[in-house]
Amino acid sequence: MIALLSMAILAKVICAVVLVQGSANGAKYGSFTGSSVPPSPHVVFIAADDMGWNDISFHNPEIISPHLDELAASGIVLTDYHVYKVCSPTRASFMTGRLPNHAGLHNFISHNDPQAISKHFVLLPQALKAGGYETHIVGKWHLGFFDWPYVPSNRGFDTAFGYMTGAEDYYTHTNGKGCTGLDLTFGVGSNLTAQPQYKDTYSTMMYQGRILDIIAKHDAAIPLFLYLPFQSVHEPLQAPDVYVNRYPSTYANGSDSRRTFAAMVTALDDAVGNVTAALQRTTNLWQHTLLIFTTDNGGNLAAGGNNLPLRGGKFTFWEGGTRGVAFVSGPLVPTGKRGTSNVGLSHACGWLRASILLV
């Protein structure tokens, strides 16, 4: 019932954004014409890692996240949106359109767990690819990699750049928790190769660079699905000094962890701003783009996160662990819907079915 309700709520939001009217060039949405108009909208799906309810500026003005704020203010904010208490199950919901238990995941997947989403499921990128989309993942997978059929580049993504496990150092790109090797690969299909040249590059900027490269090379006439599960703002707490110094040393009563965490949010915000700016510079990309932003679970109270006024955090079933930040944005949002909130109950499992409505 929850899955059906979530599908209905998110489908309502998506349908409010994308008007299925048909056009002279065969596009199934809007009233756009022209040779470079895609037959379906481009979809940019951004997933923040461990971002809590009070970790974004439209809930907490002490956080510096102007680009996310602007996107939310020009879109539709989901005020009663829910996720699982930890990451892998929520990500399974993103990909399968099912509640975590029905997707077979009840906890996060450890680096040495021979576990993954079953091949019986058609994942979101596979469904969109069947509808003519070009598909890319940049960032964290964390849905199983113990055998080649389960890596993201064999689950519907044309290319995959990022890491397989749940957390790693932002600069060395190694896990360090019983998994000491480099966890950063790029490739297609089963041809994934290690990327040691990015050592000492902060991951948020590294992923931003790959995303900008995809955008620059993309043919705007082909619908694009960009799945961008950033590493930010999961522990370890690491941020470049240029971002840490944007917060005074007295920030959060002198808490170094909260100050660094806030800096990580601001770094993520800059990356999102640069991605949207690149889309805007590219002819016929941004004006035909639907942008989805979501967290995967509540903030981790032991690692700088904050979910006030909600109770609890990551790892708990209180709302602080399971009620998430989310919004839909982009130029396809009708003027009358911009800056509004959807108060209906929704869940991460609704994105797949809602997105398929675009194909």
Side-chain angles (χ1 to χ4, degrees), residues 203-278:
S203 75
T204 307
M205 282 62 208
M206 176 182 70
Y207 293 134
Q208 171 191 286
R210 169 59 184 158
I211 298 162
L212 298 186
D213 184 59
I214 292 171
I215 292 170
K217 295 177 180 177
H218 184 71
D219 180 351
I222 300 172
L224 173 66
F225 175 56
L226 277 179
Y227 177 48
L228 311 179
F230 279 92
Q231 181 176 357
S232 307
V233 286
H234 196 291
E235 62 174 326
L237 298 179
Q238 296 172 299
D241 288 343
V242 66
Y243 289 104
V244 175
N245 292 336
R246 294 182 68 176
Y247 295 85
S249 59
T250 55
Y251 182 78
N253 296 318
S255 169
D256 288 340
S257 61
R258 181 61 179 169
R259 184 186 184 203
T260 303
F261 182 96
M264 295 163 71
V265 174
T266 303
L268 171 63
D269 180 77
D270 267 5
V272 171
N274 289 331
V275 168
T276 55

Side-chain angles (χ1 to χ4, degrees), residues 18 29 88 130 135 157-158 166 255 264 269 348:
V18 183
Y29 69 99
S88 294
T135 60
F157 290 105
D158 292 319
S255 169
M264 295 163 71
D269 180 77

Side-chain angles (χ1 to χ4, degrees), residues 6-8 10 36 46 55 68 82 87 102 108 121 125 138 148 179 200 233 237 264-266 302 309 337:
S6 296
M7 178 191 74
L10 293 180
S36 59
I46 302 173
D55 294 336
L68 291 170
H82 293 264
C87 43
H102 296 167
F108 59 83
F121 293 122
V138 181
W148 285 113
C179 179
D200 298 327
V233 286
L237 298 179
M264 295 163 71
V265 174
T266 303
K337 294 289 184 180

